Amino acid sequence: MDPQPRPLDQLFAALADPNRRAMVEQLSRGPATVKQLAEPAGMGLPSAVKHLQVLENGGIVMSEKAGRTRTYRMRPGAFRQIDDWVRQREAAMEAAFDRLVQAMHDIPPEEDIP
């Protein structure tokens, strides 16, 4: 097994938690502070920061600090890797179905038995 998680693995792992998905949902509407992201889930700031670090390590969000306030926003193209991965799976499935259809057409028709 690979000792270093791959970027796609980190991305999926970051999205595996419902609290983090809720944060992503909120950030998809615009930037927010840690406090604004913690409040809807009723979580403390330290817990929210831990979740946000996972999202940041997964390449989904980025942050900036101005004074004492840290603001998070979605990283541009954050889900491009997922899009690419899904498209590759879809292309492979479609190719398999195309081969199945061709194989079905290549089977000679059965003769009618009286």
Side-chain angles (χ1 to χ4, degrees), residues 20-78:
R20 291 192 291 268
R21 287 194 306 273
M23 289 176 165
V24 167
E25 181 68 31
Q26 185 174 347
L27 289 169
S28 69
R29 294 186 294 272
T33 65
V34 175
K35 184 177 179 183
Q36 291 169 326
L37 293 163
E39 283 177 352
M43 72 174 67
L45 296 180
S47 295
V49 168
K50 287 180 183 179
H51 282 295
L52 289 161
Q53 286 173 338
V54 173
L55 290 170
E56 199 162 16
N57 291 340
I60 300 168
V61 303
M62 56 189 191
S63 68
E64 58 187 38
K65 190 170 183 178
R68 294 177 46 158
T69 304
R70 182 166 294 278
T71 302
Y72 285 83
R73 65 182 22 90
M74 295 295 296
R75 182 175 298 281

Side-chain angles (χ1 to χ4, degrees), residues 2 6 9 11 20-21 25-26 34 38 44 48 53 57 59 65 74 76-77 83-84 86 93-94 98 100 104 106 111:
D2 190 352
R6 294 192 170 106
D9 295 339
L11 205 155
R20 291 192 291 268
R21 287 194 306 273
E25 181 68 31
Q26 185 174 347
V34 175
Q53 286 173 338
N57 291 340
K65 190 170 183 178
M74 295 295 296
D83 290 340
D84 293 345
V86 168
M93 285 183 4
E94 288 172 13
D98 290 345
L100 176 61
M104 291 173 67
D106 291 345
E111 306 245 345

